[in-house]
Amino acid sequence: TKIAYVTATRISDGIEYQLLVADADGKNAQTLVTSSQPLLSPKWSPLGDKLVYVSFEKGNSAIYIQDLSTGSRELMSNFPGINSGPAFSPDGKQLAITLSKSGNPEIYTMDIYTKKLKQITDSWAIDTGASWAPDGKSLVFTSDRGGKPNLYQIDIDGKVAKRLTFEGDYNAGGNFSPNGEYICYVQGIRNNYKIALRHNQSETSQQISDGPLDETPTFAPNNNMILYATKNAKGQGILISSSLDGSTKNQLLVSNGNIREPSWSPVIN
């Protein structure tokens, strides 16, 4: 398997952002994109042959798909306002994205071939950061429609959102495990942000990281590990791999820059 991640390195005239792909242990890193503007939210296609990500190189946020074999890329979305949170569907034919082109951030799906949009959420609140259930029939996303950011699940067709999280001050960035048994996410309690794991069958959650600034968790394709970004004692962004119960943790030595936004690939044949 591979991991994708973003580095931010201070240079003489600003900050240089890079999107990189490396082996799962952090070795053999290769740079895909370099920009003077932020790069965000890389996510793998189901076959591991493409990455979708957000770039600010044109000033406004825009969503691109990068083909790893050819090096070519395609602009998918650059509507006025927010273009963020892209994620491939399990069959690789659609993206879930967040757009504010109607004035309010909402979740949409986009056909990657025709770029036809379908609006999934319709709320006065901020709806963002959707990811797909493994069966492709629903999405988990973050919304403050209950007053604070929490995770919700919504059917692709039904448009009835079910709230999944209730504890803490902040719950966001949910991702399903490949087998659908868990959702990993960020839980904040009094400005202490840790990685949490929701057991979908029992509808219970547990914190598995130490905080205080843990973010962007992503599952390994074998369902047994979670990779997330955090900061060390020097304030440098690093990546940590953790077992699901949080008992075993290892830092990935991948770069001297500030590392963020990890995404673990599927098994690549």
Side-chain angles (χ1 to χ4, degrees), residues 106-109 119-123 127 130-133 135-142 145 151-164 176:
E106 305 286 0
I107 306 298
Y108 293 77
T109 57
Q119 186 172 339
I120 304 299
T121 64
D122 185 8
S123 170
D127 297 336
S131 65
W132 296 79
D135 63 7
K137 295 179 180 179
S138 65
L139 298 166
V140 61
F141 66 99
T142 304
R145 60 183 64 190
L151 299 185
Y152 291 79
Q153 187 172 2
I154 189 168
D155 292 339
I156 293 298
D157 298 320
K159 294 193 176 182
V160 177
K162 174 187 176 182
R163 183 170 168 177
L164 302 182
F176 277 94

Side-chain angles (χ1 to χ4, degrees), residues 133-135 175-182 219-225 266:
D135 63 7
N175 281 300
F176 277 94
S177 61
N179 62 10
E181 293 182 6
Y182 308 101
F219 276 99
N222 65 3
N223 303 283
N224 292 330
M225 300 288 289

Side-chain angles (χ1 to χ4, degrees), residues 38-101:
L39 301 169
L40 300 170
S41 307
K43 293 289 178 62
W44 292 88
S45 65
L47 296 179
D49 59 342
K50 298 180 178 68
L51 279 169
V52 63
Y53 64 94
V54 177
S55 172
F56 283 79
E57 64 197 70
K58 295 183 181 296
N60 186 46
S61 58
I63 295 172
Y64 291 88
I65 290 180
Q66 182 102 9
D67 189 302
L68 300 188
S69 60
T70 65
S72 64
R73 69 172 186 170
E74 182 178 3
L75 175 63
M76 302 302 295
S77 173
N78 65 341
F79 293 100
I82 295 169
N83 301 262
S84 69
F88 277 99
S89 61
D91 64 6
K93 296 179 179 179
Q94 298 182 81
L95 296 176
I97 58 178
T98 300
L99 302 174
S100 66
K101 66 186 188 68

